[in-house]
């Protein structure tokens, strides 16, 4: 693990002064951040449609003198902030927030419940956005600290407000539009309703799974339901295929390697007394090891070919929308951990033992730049937990200022130790 001990007296003094003023700034900003988060929560927009959200972000940034850039199709925003007078080769640290909502009905009985029927911020992206905005808004006042405590130095930041995380496309769009140009490291966080507000968890290494959509199109021969011998039933084939995949895939790889295959959608037929021509299955494959993923791909193709031959059907298999795993860089994770301990207290920060089988397109940024994500506790003490993607999901809004502080202090730690970023891990 990389150490961020800040042994040099002048560096430690700069960091401590920055931390103290940051806490004061964000305490003053807290009501505004809560209002921003609730405004977003009331007006959620699904992936690829976040125009009003993007306009709100731009206005908020412009109101404090920043110059945000609205991305293609008027969704997504980036803005750069420079504090003090950093050296020309000082690393630029990116802070990323996702801004889209889910197609789930918000069922909470609160005055900031979603006003958009069937759409809700039930994964915490409204909080992520408010946290990144808090970091951007508060950072504007820190040039004086650098000039007095650490003259000739500074901090270079880029804030990335990314659309379409829920469909795993937004990070690709942002990268294609240059959001990661000249970025040395990227950091982010995600709400975690399984731990209380005021706590955080860090993961070193693989944090989320490799994710693939897997589509199967089974072509059979239609017939009357009373005379199945006249046709070739694709639904029967679908049942065999699902059973075989569920039974055999877990035994295809080392049992110590986490992997999950799930069929989530079956479409076939239009009448109960007709054997259809086609059955379509859609599912997801999740793994935490690239070698295991390759083995599972081949095994799926082998099983599919065997079922097709034995049933006399034709099965088309498509692996779609591959998403890499989030692999947290150890140096940047250490900075996130140090900042979290400084703000929350050492006893409030834990380590994540096992990777999540969920997907996160933060991984797209990591294909070219080292980075790390933090899990920030958001559960309200003493209340029943509503998990991510639940229609009752909500947060303890104290996490907004805590998240902003953690991200900004992490960025400062990385800027104070640029040789560690360049070295990598």
């Amino acid at each position: 693990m990389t150490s961020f001990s800040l042994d040099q007296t002048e560096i430690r003094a700069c960091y401590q002064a920055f931390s103290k003023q940051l806490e004061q700034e964000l305490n003053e900003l807290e009501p505004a951040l809560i209002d921003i988060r609730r405004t977003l929560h009331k007006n959620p927009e699904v992936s690829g449609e976040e125009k009003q959200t993007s306009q709100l972000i731009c206005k908020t940034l412009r109101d404090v003198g920043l110059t945000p850039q609205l991305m293609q199709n008027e969704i997504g925003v980036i803005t750069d902030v420079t504090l003090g007078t950093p050296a020309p080769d000082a690393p630029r640290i990116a802070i990323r927030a996702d801004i889209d909502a889910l197609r789930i009905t918000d069922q909470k009985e609160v005055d900031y419940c979603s006003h958009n029927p069937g759409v809700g911020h039930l994964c915490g992206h409204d909080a992520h956005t408010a946290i990144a905005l808090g970091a951007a808004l508060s950072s504007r006042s820190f040039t004086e600290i650098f000039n007095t405590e650490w003259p000739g130095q500074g901090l270079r930041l880029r804030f990335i407000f990314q659309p379409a995380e829920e469909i795993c496309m937004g990070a690709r769009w942002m990268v294609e539009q240059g959001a990661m140009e000249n970025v040395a490291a990227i950091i982010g966080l995600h709400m975690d309703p399984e731990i209380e507000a005021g706590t955080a968890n860090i993961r070193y290494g693989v944090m989320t799974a490799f994710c693939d959509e897997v589509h199967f199109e089974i072509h059979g021969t239609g017939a009357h339901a009373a005379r199945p011998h006249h046709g070739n039933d694709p639904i029967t084939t679908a049942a065999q295929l699902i059973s075989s995949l569920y039974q055999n895939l877990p035994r295809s790889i080392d049992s110590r390697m986490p992997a999950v295959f799930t069929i989530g959608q079956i479409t076939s037929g239009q009448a109960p007394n007709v054997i259809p021509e086609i059955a379509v299955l859609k599912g997801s494959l999740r793994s935490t090891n690239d070698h295991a993923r390759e083995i599972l791909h081949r095994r799926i193709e082998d099983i599919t070919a065997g079922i097709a031959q034995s049933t006399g059907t034709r099965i088309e298999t498509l692996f779609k929308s591959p998403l890499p795993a989030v692999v947290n860089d150890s140096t940047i994770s250490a900075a996130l951990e140090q900042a979290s301990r400084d703000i929350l207290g050492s006893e409030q920060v834990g380590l994540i033992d096992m990777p999540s089988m969920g997907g996160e397109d933060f991984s797209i940024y990591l294909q070219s730049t080292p980075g790390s994500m933090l899990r920030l506790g958001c559960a309200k003490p003493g209340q029943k937990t509503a998990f991510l993607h639940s229609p009752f999901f909500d947060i303890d809004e104290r996490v907004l200022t805590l998240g902003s502080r953690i991200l900004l202090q992490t960025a400062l730690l990385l800027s104070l130790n640029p040789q560690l970023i360049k070295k990598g891990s």
Side-chain angles (χ1 to χ4, degrees):
M1 185 184 301
T2 301
S3 173
F4 285 89
S5 59
L6 301 179
D7 291 332
Q8 297 180 44
T9 301
E10 65 274 16
I11 292 179
R12 184 168 62 253
C14 174
Y15 179 75
Q16 291 172 345
F18 185 97
S19 178
K20 182 178 179 180
Q21 183 169 334
L22 179 58
E23 182 176 7
Q24 295 173 352
E25 292 281 339
L26 282 163
N27 284 341
E28 294 176 6
L29 275 174
E30 185 174 36
L33 297 186
I34 290 174
D35 182 65
I36 289 170
R37 183 257 166 172
R38 293 186 177 188
T39 298
L40 293 169
H41 203 85
K42 287 189 290 187
N43 301 281
E45 296 176 296
V46 295
S47 301
E49 300 179 12
E50 306 96 326
K51 291 187 177 182
Q52 291 185 15
T53 301
S54 298
Q55 290 292 345
L56 174 62
I57 293 167
C58 284
K59 182 181 184 305
T60 303
L61 296 170
R62 289 193 190 104
D63 285 348
V64 295
L66 296 173
T67 54
Q69 176 186 346
L70 190 62
M71 309 305 278
Q72 290 179 5
N73 300 317
E74 300 180 9
I75 56 173
V77 179
I78 62 172
T79 192
D80 288 345
V81 179
T82 300
L83 312 181
T85 54
D89 62 346
R92 185 174 298 280
I93 312 300
I95 293 175
R96 175 267 202 169
D98 37 15
I99 68 175
D100 54 328
L102 292 155
R103 292 192 183 277
I104 303 176
T105 298
D106 188 355
Q107 297 183 31
K108 296 188 298 295
E109 294 183 359
V110 293
D111 58 6
Y112 53 87
C113 185
S114 172
H115 293 185
N116 187 356
V119 180
H121 266 299
L122 302 170
C123 196
H125 294 188
D126 55 335
H128 303 168
T129 302
I131 285 169
L133 283 171
L137 299 181
S138 62
S139 67
R140 292 287 292 169
S141 62
F142 290 102
T143 293
E144 183 177 350
I145 286 182
F146 283 97
N147 291 340
T148 57
E149 302 284 347
W150 204 31
Q153 302 295 330
L155 178 60
R156 295 156 62 91
L157 299 170
R158 175 167 297 160
F159 293 90
I160 300 174
F161 297 90
Q162 175 212 307
E165 189 279 330
E166 294 292 352
I167 61 172
C168 301
M169 294 299 296
R172 289 184 173 90
W173 297 344
M174 299 299 277
V175 170
E176 289 169 359
Q177 295 175 69
M180 294 300 288
E181 291 179 4
N182 302 316
V183 169
I186 184 167
I187 54 177
L189 52 74
H190 202 294
M191 295 293 100
D192 189 342
E194 298 188 48
I195 56 176
E196 287 189 0
T199 62
N201 284 336
I202 307 291
R203 171 72 183 169
Y204 286 80
V206 177
M207 183 176 186
T208 67
F210 293 90
C211 298
D212 294 277
E213 283 187 32
V214 191
H215 295 190
F216 305 92
E217 192 169 282
I218 304 170
H219 296 262
T221 305
H224 195 293
R227 304 174 183 86
H229 57 288
H230 289 170
N232 195 351
D233 191 345
I235 293 179
T236 301
T237 302
Q240 293 182 45
L241 179 60
I242 293 171
S243 178
S244 184
L245 290 168
Y246 278 17
Q247 182 177 5
N248 289 290
L249 288 181
R251 294 179 172 273
S252 300
I253 59 171
D254 190 323
S255 60
R256 295 168 295 180
M257 295 181 181
V260 177
F261 176 77
T262 301
I263 293 292
Q265 185 176 358
I266 303 174
T267 307
S268 187
Q270 297 182 345
N273 61 345
V274 177
I275 294 174
E277 295 275 334
I278 296 175
V280 175
L281 312 179
K282 295 182 180 180
S284 70
L285 173 68
R286 296 162 187 263
S287 54
T288 58
N289 178 282
D290 204 21
H291 177 63
R293 178 172 174 263
E294 292 176 4
I295 292 173
L296 290 167
H297 275 220
R298 291 197 301 269
R299 190 67 175 134
I300 287 171
E301 291 171 340
D302 291 344
I303 291 170
T304 302
I307 294 292
Q309 183 177 13
S310 66
T311 60
T313 58
R314 178 169 60 87
I315 305 177
E316 298 175 2
T317 304
L318 174 65
F319 295 95
K320 187 178 179 182
S321 303
L323 184 66
V326 171
V327 182
N328 284 340
D329 177 86
S330 62
T331 296
I332 299 171
S333 296
L336 272 171
E337 181 178 359
Q338 182 64 56
S340 299
R341 292 183 185 278
D342 291 340
I343 293 163
L344 305 176
S346 293
E347 69 282 357
Q348 300 299 102
V349 181
L351 298 179
I352 301 172
D353 293 332
M354 297 293 291
S356 165
M357 299 310 291
E360 165 61 73
D361 77 351
F362 186 80
S363 61
I364 300 299
Y365 302 115
L366 304 184
Q367 292 184 310
S368 58
T369 303
S372 184
M373 288 194 77
L374 169 83
R375 293 282 185 180
L376 185 62
C378 66
K380 298 179 180 181
Q383 293 193 17
K384 183 178 179 181
T385 299
F387 295 109
L388 298 174
H389 294 208
S390 160
F392 299 99
F393 173 78
D394 204 355
I395 66 165
D396 184 327
E397 290 174 322
R398 291 178 299 165
V399 303
L400 300 179
T401 57
L402 293 176
S404 299
R405 290 173 63 193
I406 289 170
L407 291 178
L408 269 183
Q409 287 189 208
T410 300
L412 180 59
L413 284 170
L414 293 171
S415 295
L416 294 176
N417 295 269
Q419 73 284 356
L420 295 178
I421 302 175
K422 294 175 183 178
K423 181 180 178 182
S425 51

